[in-house]
Amino acid sequence: MAEAKERGNRGEALACQRLEQAGWKILERNWRRGHSEIDIIACREETIAFIEVKTRSQNAYAPPAQAVTAGQRRRIILAAAAYLQERGLYNTGAYQPRFDVIEVVTLPGKDGRVVDYRHLENAYDAGGLHVFI
């Protein structure tokens, strides 16, 4: 379990680094609301992205993004609405929110080197959840 946590932490750190290189400003890391957590909240121009980072070993059963379940998406969307409300940004038009997933794939083992990185923009939306973002 500790190895998976370390892999996840390294994946999130790499994601933040790559986002900043691409001109994103990291607003929050591991932002919590109740039982929900948003790995990264970042903004660039008029877009605010709520980003789930999934880091997996190369020998994992499925691509990392498939690990983002419907329940997890729902929790992230509700947490994003709470975040925007707390910051006075909800329904103001100041930012266009979106939900991204970043996949990080590493070689197996404790010190697994990154072999693939993908930023899936607009990976999902609030459709069907009756949540206005």
Side-chain angles (χ1 to χ4, degrees):
M1 184 63 147
E3 185 177 314
K5 178 79 170 143
E6 289 173 27
R7 180 180 287 118
N9 289 340
R10 287 193 316 267
E12 286 183 21
L14 174 66
C16 286
Q17 178 185 12
R18 295 267 181 104
L19 287 165
E20 288 175 330
Q21 289 170 349
W24 289 89
K25 178 181 178 190
I26 306 301
L27 301 175
E28 303 280 348
R29 280 189 69 181
N30 302 309
W31 187 83
R32 290 190 160 285
R33 173 63 167 227
H35 294 293
S36 301
E37 179 182 330
I38 301 173
D39 290 337
I40 300 171
I41 302 172
C43 69
R44 181 172 69 182
E45 298 170 2
E46 294 84 30
T47 301
I48 187 165
F50 299 92
I51 304 166
E52 178 66 16
V53 179
K54 288 297 184 186
T55 306
R56 296 291 185 267
S57 171
Q58 191 176 32
N59 60 4
Y61 173 72
Q66 286 187 8
V68 183
T69 66
Q72 189 175 23
R73 290 190 302 267
R74 184 180 192 328
R75 285 188 299 276
I76 290 168
I77 290 166
L78 292 172
Y83 177 87
L84 293 170
Q85 288 171 342
E86 283 183 9
R87 303 303 188 276
L89 300 171
Y90 188 80
N91 200 22
T92 64
Y95 288 104
Q96 176 62 45
R98 75 177 198 206
F99 300 93
D100 296 359
V101 174
I102 292 179
E103 295 183 323
V104 180
V105 179
T106 68
L107 290 175
K110 187 174 181 179
D111 298 321
R113 181 176 51 90
V114 173
V115 294
D116 193 23
Y117 174 94
R118 291 189 330 150
H119 184 169
L120 307 171
E121 299 178 357
N122 291 306
Y124 57 93
D125 59 29
L129 294 177
H130 308 292
V131 177
F132 179 74
I133 298 280

